[in-house]
Amino acid sequence: MRPQVQLKYLKCVALTCIHIAVKMVAEDELAPHIADVINMSSANCSVADVVRMEMIILNKLKWDVNLATPLQFLQLVSKSRKRCGQSVINLEYPK
């Protein structure tokens, strides 16, 4: 089943996903505090909202969170582009 997200929560979900990813790769003292990230973003949510959303996301994932390799990321992008009818991935930097 594919999770449904209401549009009004989309920025909070995106910010929470970034927060989870940063927590996985950064040491605690190097990771920015979530309040600072919220202030820099245009997300209209609180620290409590992010903490609550983090638990929802992790529970939906059954806490099965791992780091994707660059190859896995490219395979995922390739599959999604094929579904959209685009078989070529442009990896060049814009000029």
Side-chain angles (χ1 to χ4, degrees):
M1 182 176 162
R2 197 172 189 175
Q4 299 287 322
V5 178
Q6 293 181 21
L7 190 57
K8 64 182 178 180
Y9 299 122
L10 192 56
K11 287 183 181 180
C12 186
V13 169
L15 189 64
T16 304
C17 289
I18 292 170
H19 176 64
I20 292 170
V22 167
K23 285 173 58 175
M24 288 188 62
V25 297
E27 296 182 26
D28 288 338
E29 61 271 1
L30 298 178
H33 191 271
I34 191 61
D36 297 332
V37 177
I38 291 171
N39 288 334
M40 290 186 287
S41 73
S42 61
N44 189 19
C45 58
S46 67
V47 172
D49 293 334
V50 172
V51 171
R52 192 168 40 254
M53 190 66 69
E54 181 179 12
M55 292 308 298
I56 291 169
I57 291 169
L58 290 173
N59 286 329
K60 289 284 184 188
L61 296 173
K62 296 183 174 99
W63 289 79
D64 183 19
V65 183
N66 58 28
L67 296 174
T69 66
L71 178 60
Q72 290 170 324
F73 175 77
L74 290 174
Q75 289 170 336
L76 180 65
V77 170
S78 176
K79 285 181 186 177
S80 67
R81 296 197 47 120
K82 285 180 183 175
R83 275 187 261 141
C84 297
Q86 301 170 331
S87 59
V88 178
I89 301 173
N90 184 3
L91 296 178
E92 295 179 4
Y93 287 108
K95 294 180 182 179

